[in-house]
Amino acid sequence: MIIVDYTNMTVLISMIVFLFVMNFIGYFKKKALFVLIATMVSTAMMIIHFLLRDMLAEDVFKFNMYVDFATIAVNLSMLLIVDEIEVRRNVIGKVFESKYNNK
């Protein structure tokens, strides 16, 4: 049995809490790195579940894949939002920096 099976409620809840905390920190600190790490973890879990699908029952495999796709969708959405905010903050900072350096 693999350890990242989401039918175990402890594993599912701990993964959801980890992803929520990483997205929360990334959103409020305006750092896309935290959300990128959460996205990479979700993608890694999907790859692990897909590669080890022979060890899981069909219903368990489908449930794991549904959870993986849902978490990737949420993480990619958050990554786009946070990255856009971070890029805009950098551009605005450079505009004001160059504006005050020219005077």
Side-chain angles (χ1 to χ4, degrees):
M1 172 130 189
I2 59 175
I3 196 165
V4 289
D5 184 12
Y6 291 143
T7 55
N8 183 352
M9 280 299 148
T10 306
V11 174
L12 179 64
I13 290 171
S14 63
M15 182 59 75
I16 289 173
V17 166
F18 169 74
L19 295 175
F20 177 76
V21 167
M22 291 298 281
N23 284 322
F24 186 79
I25 291 171
Y27 183 75
F28 284 105
K29 293 231 180 232
K30 307 299 187 260
K31 298 291 181 187
L33 180 65
F34 293 104
V35 184
L36 180 63
I37 291 171
T39 305
M40 290 180 357
V41 168
S42 295
T43 305
M45 290 297 115
M46 185 182 73
I47 290 170
I48 289 171
H49 288 140
F50 186 74
L51 291 176
L52 300 176
R53 67 183 174 272
D54 296 335
M55 296 176 63
L56 301 170
E58 185 177 341
D59 294 338
V60 174
F61 173 70
K62 285 183 181 179
F63 179 74
N64 285 330
M65 293 305 283
Y66 290 148
V67 171
D68 289 333
F69 282 125
T71 57
I72 288 174
V74 169
N75 287 329
L76 284 178
S77 301
M78 284 299 296
L79 183 61
L80 290 173
I81 291 168
V82 173
D83 188 50
E84 181 67 26
I85 292 170
E86 189 175 12
V87 167
R88 286 184 185 204
R89 288 179 73 185
N90 287 337
V91 168
I92 290 171
K94 287 181 183 179
V95 166
F96 282 114
E97 181 181 304
S98 64
K99 179 180 177 181
Y100 291 120
N101 285 340
N102 289 338
K103 286 187 177 184

